[in-house]
Amino acid sequence: MANEEDDPVVQEIDVYLAKSLAEKLYLFQVEIEMAIDTLNPNYCRSKGEQIALNVDGACADETSTFSSKLMDKQTFCSSQTTSNTSRYAAALYRQGELHLTPLHGILQLRPSFSYLDKADAKHREREAANEAGDSSQDEAEEDVKQITVRFSRPESEQARQRRVQSYEFLQKKHAEEPWVHLHYYGLRDSRSEHERQYLLCQGSSGVENTELVKSPSEYLMMLMPPSQEEEKDKPVAPSNVLSMAQLRTLPLADQIKILMKNVKVMPFANLMSLLGPSMDSVAVLRGIQKVAMLVQGNWVVKSDILYPKDSSSPHSGVPAEVLCRGRDFVMWKFTKSRWVVRKEVAAVTKLCAEDVKDFLEHMALVRINKGWEFILPYDGEFIKKHPDVVQRQHLLWMGIQAKLEKVYNLVKETTPKKPDGQSGPAGLLSGDQRIQAAKTKAQQNHAVLERELQRQKEQLHTSMVLPGVQIKEEPLSEEGEDEDEQGAEEEEPMDTSPSDGLSNRLTNGLPAGRAAGGDSFSGHPPPGCASAPAARELRAFVEATFQSQFVLTLSELKRLFNQHVASLPRGHVLFSGISDHMLQDTVLAAGCKQILVPFPRQTAASPNEQKVFALWESGDMSDQHRQVLFEIFSKNYRVRRNMIQSRLTQECGEDLSKQEVDKVLKDCCVSYGGMWYLKGTVQS
């Protein structure tokens, strides 16, 4: 009460908010007088004439700065004083009411001395002209020098951003900004008085001024708003510093992705502890396989999560696809050994040292004089507890390994080393152990296999050769040895059975039993097939794949099959083991044929890449076109389009349209260097 008596209310004034000029009202701050009075006795006329002469020269034209040949004007340039003008308003007090109009901008006018730069430029031109006049013609000819024309490289996005933000670019844009002519009206002018009326609120009844009618709590909130810094510190989604309370409000897939993206390498037990004890381990296993790969029993985040599409390296600027391939190579090396040498990775991937270091720091620790060691110990407990997940991840790594070997021209490892300190689970054979067992068995049974192959060759010549069927002759002794070694490297142990040597001997790719008319697997299930359901599942996969692909090499078909098996649930019949020869037999039994493409002698394609299978009949209108195309490529490794067009027109009639030719080429071929190849056979 005492404070209120000491500070009594003297007068209450109504405040109105006018919006008529809210988007048009500017405040100009002028520090000096703009007009130059040339008739003033304090004005130095001779100095004004000298400045005009230096700037415009003796001749006056439309481009002259001072048309009166006297410095009679001063140019002012505006600069923005503040970027936030929401706190400022123009006020007009009239008849006991205060009317406020928000300011759209505040500009400060300062004198511009650009005419001095123009004078300096003219002075330099005059000096250059004088020097050119003093020199003789002979001297000018002697000064002629040879120049080299260079074309600038395409400007990168980072360089363009730096150029746009540079001082020179901003000055150039400022100079290019066009002048806007304004008409100035004096304070007493009737038009000024008309515009001044817009500073008054048009409706003074208070209905349109609800912004100024606030409750005490709202007014206090306007005076003391909550701290915006605290709100900015709270991320929408957890990033580097994770809030577990916020994290558990997200879907399970997002929780796993965020955790793996930040941690990068994590054991499965740690992941379960972070997600909470009530989380279903089966659902977590399903989610982790979408964003991470299994390395030494631990989960490492996938490369495409860290390097999404259309991104690039902050160090070298290489695209995300190249970075993902290089990081996959590092992860794959850690599946083979506990140690990785950075120089070896850089030599293979051809990436800069900073990018390779980032890859290694994600999943390893550097050891002096040793290299980089995987950051976590081998998790044998997870391997023993989840053999189905391990098998699926092994198939995925086989596909990645095949891709890396093709991209980086790696030598295929026949005896991959087991990571140091890695002890496989008891009762479960890893892929490496099965390969080694298959190779040992093949070497032991080499003599038996050779005799059996010789016997089958004699039977093939005597009793199973049909008229018109040509047999491709190859040395059996060398092939048997090569196939045994190849089977030991790439297939299951069951691939070394005696019947393996006869695969793909006929021109159409069919074994002797089916060439005689049999449609089954020579009267019994193919080698390596655990049951008839597995054969049916394999047949369904092959038919569906060739209905969409039409042409596939054996190498590409194996890759697609491994991806298919990896997506199947645990305990599926196809996990029983499918050999290469069973896969080939199923392809041939599904209505496909092997195209004996005449590869060049010095081809870099592997034997599996040289085995080309094509869907002979699919039931659509393009079957005849594809069959003609396959006959062309059975005699030529690469063909020109005009030859294909001519042959198709000759075989299928003159009414063949360009769209039909384009369709069959798109389904079965690829173009490279102006030539057409069957899919999977082109060697860049």
Side-chain angles (χ1 to χ4, degrees):
M1 295 296 293
N3 294 336
E4 292 181 358
E5 293 177 357
D6 295 340
D7 189 13
V9 175
V10 178
Q11 184 182 2
E12 292 185 358
I13 301 175
D14 294 332
V15 180
Y16 297 93
L17 182 63
K19 293 186 177 181
S20 300
L21 300 178
E23 301 295 330
K24 304 176 183 178
L25 190 60
Y26 286 84
L27 174 64
F28 291 90
Q29 297 178 349
V30 184
E31 298 181 356
I32 60 176
E33 294 183 359
M34 298 178 61
I36 298 180
D37 186 8
T38 58
L39 301 178
N40 192 292
N42 295 325
Y43 179 79
C44 182
R45 189 174 184 85
S46 62
K47 188 66 175 178
E49 293 177 350
Q50 183 64 38
I51 292 176
L53 180 63
N54 293 338
V55 173
D56 299 328
C59 299
D61 53 14
E62 296 179 354
T63 61
S64 299
T65 304
F66 305 109
S67 57
S68 63
K69 296 184 179 181
L70 185 69
M71 183 182 175
D72 56 356
K73 61 182 178 180
Q74 174 67 60
T75 303
F76 287 78
C77 290
S78 62
S79 61
Q80 193 171 3
T81 58
T82 177
S83 59
N84 183 15
T85 59
S86 60
R87 299 170 51 195
Y88 301 94
L92 182 63
Y93 182 76
R94 177 173 293 185
Q95 297 178 0
E97 297 176 349
L98 183 64
H99 298 261
L100 301 179
T101 301
L103 290 177
H104 186 65
I106 302 177
L107 301 177
Q108 191 175 63
L109 297 180
R110 295 182 179 181
S112 173
F113 300 98
S114 58
Y115 60 89
L116 297 179
D117 297 334
K118 188 176 180 181
D120 292 341
K122 286 188 173 293
H123 178 68
R124 286 193 295 268
E125 290 178 0
R126 286 194 295 268
E127 289 185 349
N130 294 333
E131 292 178 358
D134 295 340
S135 61
S136 63
Q137 182 68 22
D138 296 336
E139 292 177 351
E141 293 179 357
E142 292 178 358
D143 292 339
V144 176
K145 297 182 180 179
Q146 183 180 3
I147 62 173
T148 302
V149 179
R150 296 181 179 179
F151 296 94
S152 61
R153 294 180 298 177
E155 187 178 28
S156 63
E157 182 64 22
Q158 295 179 350
R160 190 191 69 82
Q161 292 180 358
R162 289 195 298 267
R163 180 176 60 82
V164 170
Q165 296 176 359
S166 63
Y167 176 77
E168 290 79 8
F169 183 82
L170 296 178
Q171 287 294 104
K172 182 180 178 181
K173 294 292 290 185
H174 180 71
E176 293 175 352
E177 184 178 353
W179 284 93
V180 178
H181 297 280
L182 299 179
H183 298 283
Y184 173 77
Y185 300 105
L187 180 64
R188 304 300 179 185
D189 193 278
S190 60
R191 283 165 292 191
S192 299
E193 182 63 27
H194 174 73
E195 293 294 330
R196 196 178 299 113
Q197 296 298 321
Y198 288 110
L199 296 177
L200 298 175
C201 181
Q202 300 302 318
S204 59
S205 59
V207 178
E208 299 182 2
N209 297 280
T210 56
E211 292 85 350
L212 300 180
V213 181
K214 301 291 183 181
S215 64
S217 59
E218 292 175 340
Y219 183 68
L220 181 62
M221 185 66 68
M222 293 173 60
L223 292 178
M224 301 181 62
S227 177
Q228 297 181 358
E229 297 180 357
E230 296 180 0
E231 297 178 357
K232 291 180 180 179
D233 291 341
K234 298 178 181 179
V236 177
S239 54
N240 292 334
V241 180
L242 295 177
S243 169
M244 297 307 299
Q246 281 189 322
L247 182 65
R248 290 176 179 174
T249 61
L250 301 175
L252 178 60
D254 293 340
Q255 295 184 44
I256 297 174
K257 183 177 180 180
I258 292 173
L259 285 172
M260 292 306 305
K261 188 175 181 180
N262 286 275
V263 182
K264 300 186 177 57
V265 184
M266 189 186 304
F268 186 74
N270 289 16
L271 179 62
M272 290 298 299
S273 64
L274 289 174
L275 295 176
S278 60
M279 195 63 65
D280 183 16
S281 61
V282 177
V284 176
L285 273 176
R286 191 180 302 113
I288 189 65
Q289 295 182 69
K290 297 179 181 179
V291 298
M293 296 290 294
L294 191 65
V295 179
Q296 299 188 25
N298 301 281
W299 292 98
V300 182
V301 65
K302 289 184 177 180
S303 301
D304 56 359
I305 301 296
L306 296 180
Y307 303 106
K309 190 177 180 181
D310 299 332
S311 64
S312 59
S313 168
H315 305 294
S316 58
V318 300
E321 181 182 359
V322 180
L323 294 177
C324 292
R325 192 161 55 229
R327 189 173 181 275
D328 287 344
F329 175 76
V330 175
M331 294 169 61
W332 172 71
K333 291 292 290 182
F334 276 120
T335 63
K336 304 298 179 183
S337 175
R338 288 283 302 175
W339 301 87
V340 169
V341 181
R342 187 172 71 172
K343 291 184 178 179
E344 177 186 353
V345 176
V348 173
T349 60
K350 303 296 189 297
L351 293 172
C352 69
E354 290 79 5
D355 289 333
V356 176
K357 186 178 180 182
D358 286 348
F359 300 158
L360 293 170
E361 287 179 344
H362 291 168
M363 64 192 81
L365 295 174
V366 64
R367 306 296 186 191
I368 300 177
N369 298 329
K370 289 186 178 181
W372 291 78
E373 184 183 11
F374 193 68
I375 193 170
L376 295 178
Y378 178 78
D379 192 353
E381 183 179 354
F382 179 84
I383 298 294
K384 295 177 183 179
K385 191 174 181 181
H386 303 281
D388 54 334
V389 177
V390 175
Q391 175 68 10
R392 190 173 304 159
Q393 289 291 311
H394 175 70
L395 294 175
L396 291 176
W397 276 119
M398 287 177 61
I400 294 175
Q401 177 180 347
K403 181 179 178 181
L404 293 175
E405 288 174 350
K406 187 174 182 179
V407 172
Y408 294 131
N409 296 324
L410 302 177
V411 179
K412 186 172 292 186
E413 299 184 7
T414 57
T415 57
K417 296 181 180 180
K418 204 171 186 181
D420 301 340
Q422 177 174 332
S423 57
L428 177 66
L429 291 178
S430 65
D432 298 340
Q433 292 172 337
R434 288 198 301 271
I435 291 175
Q436 185 63 32
K439 184 174 181 180
T440 304
K441 182 178 179 181
Q443 292 175 351
Q444 293 174 353
N445 300 334
H446 174 69
V448 178
L449 293 173
E450 188 174 3
R451 289 194 298 270
E452 182 65 23
L453 291 174
Q454 185 65 29
R455 182 182 63 80
Q456 292 184 0
K457 179 186 176 184
E458 295 175 358
Q459 294 178 355
L460 183 65
H461 278 285
T462 56
S463 61
M464 292 188 177
V465 176
L466 297 177
V469 178
Q470 298 178 356
I471 300 176
K472 183 180 177 182
E473 297 289 347
E474 295 179 356
L476 281 179
S477 60
E478 296 180 3
E479 181 185 286
E481 182 178 354
D482 294 340
E483 289 191 358
D484 291 341
E485 292 181 359
Q486 184 180 353
E489 293 175 4
E490 301 179 1
E491 305 179 36
E492 304 285 337
M494 60 193 70
D495 294 338
T496 57
S497 60
S499 61
D500 294 349
L502 292 178
S503 63
N504 300 318
R505 292 301 183 91
L506 304 184
T507 305
N508 62 356
L510 286 172
R514 286 200 302 280
D519 194 28
S520 64
F521 297 99
S522 301
H524 59 81
C529 182
S531 61
R536 289 194 297 269
E537 289 286 341
L538 182 60
R539 177 73 173 262
F541 162 77
V542 169
E543 290 177 349
T545 302
F546 274 93
Q547 283 291 339
S548 60
Q549 300 287 348
F550 295 104
V551 178
L552 286 171
T553 63
L554 180 59
S555 177
E556 180 66 12
L557 181 61
K558 288 171 59 179
R559 186 185 69 81
L560 294 176
F561 179 70
N562 288 336
Q563 290 183 354
H564 174 67
V565 173
S567 64
L568 296 175
R570 58 180 179 179
H572 197 273
V573 292
L574 289 182
F575 278 102
S576 59
I578 303 298
S579 66
D580 283 5
H581 294 293
M582 178 180 178
L583 187 61
Q584 295 178 66
D585 289 346
T586 306
V587 170
L588 299 173
C592 302
K593 288 189 178 183
Q594 182 177 359
I595 310 301
L596 297 179
V597 180
F599 282 81
R601 291 184 177 180
Q602 297 181 348
T603 180
S606 64
N608 284 344
E609 292 175 338
Q610 296 186 35
K611 292 183 179 180
V612 184
F613 298 93
L615 181 61
W616 195 254
E617 293 183 356
S618 62
D620 59 9
M621 300 296 294
S622 302
D623 283 348
Q624 184 183 2
H625 305 160
R626 285 195 298 270
Q627 292 171 9
V628 174
L629 185 70
F630 297 152
E631 291 178 0
I632 296 174
F633 280 101
S634 65
K635 300 176 182 179
N636 302 276
Y637 170 64
R638 55 183 181 179
V639 187
R640 293 190 179 275
R641 179 188 173 92
N642 56 3
M643 178 181 177
I644 298 175
Q645 180 89 31
S646 175
R647 183 67 180 277
L648 286 173
T649 304
Q650 179 183 354
E651 297 290 339
C652 304
E654 296 290 341
D655 57 346
L656 188 67
S657 64
K658 180 179 180 297
Q659 289 77 10
E660 292 174 326
V661 177
D662 292 340
K663 180 181 183 303
V664 71
L665 288 176
K666 181 180 179 182
D667 290 342
C668 306
C669 302
V670 293
S671 177
Y672 184 80
M675 304 295 289
W676 288 88
Y677 303 79
L678 277 183
K679 287 184 178 180
T681 63
V682 59
Q683 303 295 318
S684 58

